[in-house]
Amino acid sequence: MTMIDNFNLDSIRFLVFDPKIHILPKMQLKQSNGEDPLEVQSYYESIIKGNSFNNELLYVIKYKTETIGFFCIASATVEPDFANVDNPITQGKNSLIRALLISKIGIDQNYRCFGLGKYILQYCIGLAINLKEIEKFDIVLFRTTKSLAQKIYCLKYNFKMIKGDEKLVWVYKKI
């Protein structure tokens, strides 16, 4: 990894992964405490080994010429089974909900805390809005840790939290 002196978000690019073009480097994607509750590290290592995941579109995050992270998106249909949550999306609906699912987000530990997550979310929300007529997306949806949902995604970015377990929850934003 290169030293990060003057990180410049204008040098960030999201590129659709092409195994013929992109060589994926080893990255440290686990939390700083070594935990990996969302299994991002093993998922990424599986991609490096050449495994592909059907129905997902993988993006690599480039900073200048260096690959510093990735994220995967997919079109999903979810059931409005949020019985424990007063959910405005499903009120009065018995139909399924169309979602742009962000299945994984991984940012190398050396490049965290520069606001990359915000730009990934903005990109995915913009993509969902642009594809709304074709895909009929109602929400952007992803799984995260409960602490990040409470401290960042719900407070800063106005995502709604769907109750999960002690560590992991789903968050969504209506399109």
Side-chain angles (χ1 to χ4, degrees), residues 21-144:
I21 297 171
H22 301 110
I23 297 170
L24 297 176
K26 293 221 180 260
M27 288 191 279
Q28 181 49 260
L29 303 169
K30 292 181 181 181
Q31 295 176 343
S32 55
N33 65 6
E35 292 182 10
D36 192 15
L38 295 165
E39 300 177 357
V40 175
Q41 187 74 47
S42 59
Y43 185 91
Y44 180 74
E45 289 170 4
S46 183
I47 293 169
I48 288 176
K49 292 176 184 171
N51 295 328
S52 61
F53 297 90
N54 294 334
N55 303 321
E56 288 187 337
L57 186 58
L58 173 66
Y59 283 85
V60 291
I61 304 168
K62 298 286 254 182
Y63 179 64
K64 299 181 180 177
T65 60
E66 191 171 355
T67 300
I68 63 168
F70 78 100
F71 63 97
C72 298
I73 60 172
S75 178
T77 303
V78 294
E79 293 187 24
D81 184 21
F82 308 133
N84 297 330
V85 180
D86 182 22
N87 189 331
I89 290 175
T90 60
Q91 286 178 346
K93 284 187 174 182
N94 291 324
S95 61
L96 298 173
I97 297 171
R98 297 283 299 150
L100 178 105
L101 173 67
I102 306 171
S103 58
K104 297 288 183 198
I105 298 175
I107 300 170
D108 187 83
Q109 282 187 3
N110 294 321
Y111 289 91
R112 293 188 186 155
C113 300
F114 289 112
L116 293 170
K118 175 183 176 181
Y119 285 97
I120 293 168
L121 292 177
Q122 288 175 335
Y123 181 85
C124 291
I125 290 167
L127 186 60
I129 290 168
N130 285 331
L131 294 173
K132 187 171 174 80
E133 291 300 314
I134 299 166
E135 294 286 338
K136 308 291 186 221
F137 289 129
D138 295 308
I139 61 174
V140 171
L141 174 73
F142 65 97
R143 197 160 191 209
T144 187

